[in-house]
Amino acid sequence: MPQDIGRVLINIYNNAFYSVSEKLKKHKTGYEPRVEVITKGHGQKVLIQIRDNGLGISSKFLDKIYQPFFTTKPTGEGTGLGLSLSYDIIKAHQGELKVDSIEGEYAEFTVELTYD
């Protein structure tokens, strides 16, 4: 399981770093890129939250982000498989992958896993 969860986290980190980098290109002054990772134990669950203050995700795309080959990145910069594979991996481990976002402000992904 550690390798699977590692793949999920790398995919989410890569998206977060891309988002803050793209926002920095648009806002040369007054913007400080930030990616935060918070881990919590909550009963029989482990929560891993990854939040960035990048471009955020448009509400019109939120229901599509886990679909294979869906990407908002320009051609050649993304395959559209990262979040799809991440979602499948987390579901295979009886977990949940949730997203909260406001376009232009932030994106936050929460990985929720149950343990015995």
Side-chain angles (χ1 to χ4, degrees):
M1 178 148 112
Q3 289 176 326
D4 287 346
I5 302 307
R7 281 189 201 102
V8 169
L9 295 176
I10 287 170
N11 283 326
I12 297 171
Y13 296 153
N14 283 340
N15 286 344
F17 295 142
Y18 176 85
S19 182
V20 296
S21 175
E22 290 300 304
K23 188 170 180 177
L24 183 60
K25 290 176 188 175
K26 294 178 181 182
H27 300 87
K28 302 260 186 229
T29 58
Y31 170 68
E32 292 185 35
R34 189 174 63 250
V35 176
E36 299 173 332
V37 179
I38 298 170
T39 58
K40 298 178 192 176
H42 184 46
Q44 292 293 106
K45 296 182 180 190
V46 173
L47 304 176
I48 305 168
Q49 295 173 304
I50 301 101
R51 183 182 178 110
D52 68 72
N53 67 341
L55 299 171
I57 303 166
S58 170
S59 59
K60 66 183 176 183
F61 297 137
L62 283 175
D63 61 340
K64 299 176 185 176
I65 62 171
Y66 300 128
Q67 294 176 6
F69 305 109
F70 177 80
T71 184
T72 59
K73 294 177 183 172
T75 303
E77 292 199 33
T79 62
L81 291 174
L83 287 177
S84 173
L85 291 172
S86 296
Y87 183 83
D88 290 345
I89 289 169
I90 296 302
K91 282 295 182 190
H93 291 288
Q94 288 76 46
E96 290 188 61
L97 179 57
K98 301 175 184 176
V99 63
D100 181 32
S101 183
I102 295 177
E103 186 174 11
E105 292 186 30
Y106 73 90
E108 180 177 277
F109 284 85
T110 302
V111 176
E112 186 176 295
L113 297 168
T114 303
Y115 63 92
D116 297 322

